């Protein structure tokens, strides 16, 4: 009799066990290793002469770590929109290849990372984006 009861309990646990467990959250707060490292965007100029007053986009340098990233603008912009300090942003979630970032963000309150082949896509909330290349 005890063997039949034990078999019934085991059969019940095996069949109902997966249904009683809590599913894991699909999003994590860790960036994959292929995203980590130092990434840059070269400065952009509005004229063929690369002088300070023709710069319309400064150099952007981003260092991506396991759970955070730091960014710094380097260059000259006449409107003083950026300082030359190092700013830190942290990962809120990573889901389906897109990382949501918050903290001391670049343009808006939310920034995003995504991989596009061997380049890192850096986007912000209201439709802007840029492509970063790995530093060698």
């Amino acid at each position: 009799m005890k063997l039949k009861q034990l078999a019934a309990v085991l059969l019940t646990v095996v069949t109902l066990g997966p249904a009683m467990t809590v599913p894991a959250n699909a999003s994590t707060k860790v960036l994959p290793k292929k995203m980590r490292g130092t990434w840059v965007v070269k400065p952009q100029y509005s004229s063929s002469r690369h002088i300070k007053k023709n710069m319309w986009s400064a150099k952007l340098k981003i260092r991506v770590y396991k759970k955070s990233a730091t960014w710094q603008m380097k260059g000259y912009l006449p409107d003083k929109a950026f300082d030359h300090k190092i700013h830190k942003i942290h990962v809120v979630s990573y889901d389906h290849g897109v990382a949501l970032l918050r903290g001391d963000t670049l343009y808006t309150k939310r920034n995003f990372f995504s991989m596009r082949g061997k380049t890192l896509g850096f986007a912000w909330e209201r439709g802007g984006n840029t492509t970063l290349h790995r530093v060698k």
Side-chain angles (χ1 to χ4, degrees):
M1 189 68 171
K2 293 202 176 216
L3 187 58
K4 287 183 181 179
Q5 288 177 347
L6 183 63
V9 168
L10 285 175
L11 184 61
T12 304
V13 169
V14 168
T15 56
L16 295 178
M20 295 187 314
T21 60
V22 177
N25 189 0
S27 67
T28 62
K29 292 185 179 182
V30 177
L31 293 172
K33 288 185 179 180
K34 65 182 178 180
M35 279 189 185
R36 297 179 203 166
T38 304
W39 302 83
V40 294
V41 175
K42 292 182 179 179
Q44 302 292 319
Y45 298 91
S46 59
S47 175
S48 60
R49 291 187 60 209
H50 291 183
I51 58 175
K52 287 184 180 180
K53 73 177 192 177
N54 291 338
M55 183 182 288
W56 65 270
S57 177
K59 177 183 176 181
L60 174 64
K61 184 176 185 180
I62 296 181
R63 287 191 176 118
V64 180
Y65 303 103
K66 187 175 183 179
K67 295 184 179 183
S68 65
T70 58
W71 64 270
Q72 181 181 20
M73 294 295 264
K74 291 185 175 185
Y76 171 82
L77 288 178
D79 61 354
K80 303 290 183 188
F82 306 106
D83 53 8
H84 295 273
K85 296 179 183 176
I86 297 174
H87 302 274
K88 186 172 184 179
I89 48 181
H90 60 274
V91 179
V92 174
S93 67
Y94 178 78
D95 195 15
H96 299 293
V98 177
L100 173 63
L101 308 164
R102 286 200 183 148
D104 199 0
T105 55
L106 186 56
Y107 295 111
T108 60
K109 291 184 180 180
R110 294 181 186 176
N111 289 158
F112 306 94
F113 280 148
S114 65
M115 286 299 292
R116 299 178 194 156
K118 291 187 177 184
T119 60
L120 181 70
F122 180 63
W124 44 94
E125 191 171 13
R126 295 189 184 111
N129 63 358
T130 187
T131 302
L132 298 150
H133 300 280
R134 191 177 295 274
V135 173
K136 295 182 181 181

